[in-house]
Amino acid sequence: MATRLVRRPPFRIYAITDCRAVPDHATLMERAAALLSAAPAGRLAIQLRDKELAAGSRMALAGDLRQLCHRHGALLFINGDIELARSCGADGVHFPETALAAASLQPELLKGNGKRLWLGGSCHDAQGLQAAAAQGLDFVTLSPVLPSPGKAAPGEELGWKNFSELSRQTELP
């Protein structure tokens, strides 16, 4: 059986936008600029995660974030939308766990601007990690480790012990 070559993402910090908490484009851009200015070049990626923005607003924000990220040597990921990632020149796509099992990530769909898009995914348990590995993702986020509004009430979170155990079960960064 062949061992899969794991592509290691160059970033160490992965920031995720919350367009519901910061609904105004200018404020989100200001906060992203401040974060990018504080981080070492090449060590940060930003994921545009917006579940409620209209298509035109989403495209405008993606384009502006892409320019800002690239000026600072950072990568931009688009949450769950390969076409938007390709059209705005983003560096990758981040898939919610619910999309991983149903997704068919065909290599020809994953090229953007002459390069292969980075692929990330959200995982919450061992089955999610297995689905991410089967889809050939480059990295995953594993959460929620601690209680988080809208994600896990106290007692529903992974906790650090389970996080460590699950992390050891995958080769994915």
Side-chain angles (χ1 to χ4, degrees), residues 10-154:
F11 55 87
R12 302 288 296 160
I13 303 166
Y14 193 64
I16 302 171
T17 66
D18 185 353
C19 294
R20 292 174 293 188
V22 186
D24 126 14
H25 184 117
T27 302
L28 193 133
M29 291 300 295
E30 287 172 16
R31 291 180 181 178
L35 178 63
L36 288 160
S37 294
R43 304 303 281 172
L44 177 68
I46 293 180
Q47 179 195 146
L48 175 56
R49 181 176 181 263
D50 60 272
K51 296 188 175 189
E52 298 168 6
L53 283 179
S57 297
R58 195 167 184 235
M59 182 61 182
L61 183 55
D64 289 349
L65 273 174
R66 184 224 167 260
Q67 289 179 8
L68 182 64
C69 284
H70 288 201
R71 270 199 311 269
H72 287 272
L75 300 180
L76 175 65
F77 285 78
I78 303 297
N79 190 72
D81 189 336
I82 294 171
E83 289 307 315
L84 178 58
R86 291 169 65 188
S87 65
C88 79
D91 301 289
V93 180
H94 187 98
F95 296 96
E97 187 174 60
T98 54
L100 290 177
S104 177
L105 305 179
Q106 301 161 356
E108 64 274 11
L109 296 176
L110 303 176
K111 296 220 187 255
N113 307 314
K115 64 183 191 284
R116 182 186 176 282
L117 294 171
W118 285 96
L119 303 175
S122 296
C123 295
H124 308 291
D125 54 29
Q127 292 81 13
L129 289 171
Q130 291 168 354
Q135 289 289 6
L137 298 189
D138 297 306
F139 71 96
V140 295
T141 58
L142 181 59
S143 67
V145 177
L146 302 174
S148 176
K151 297 282 184 185

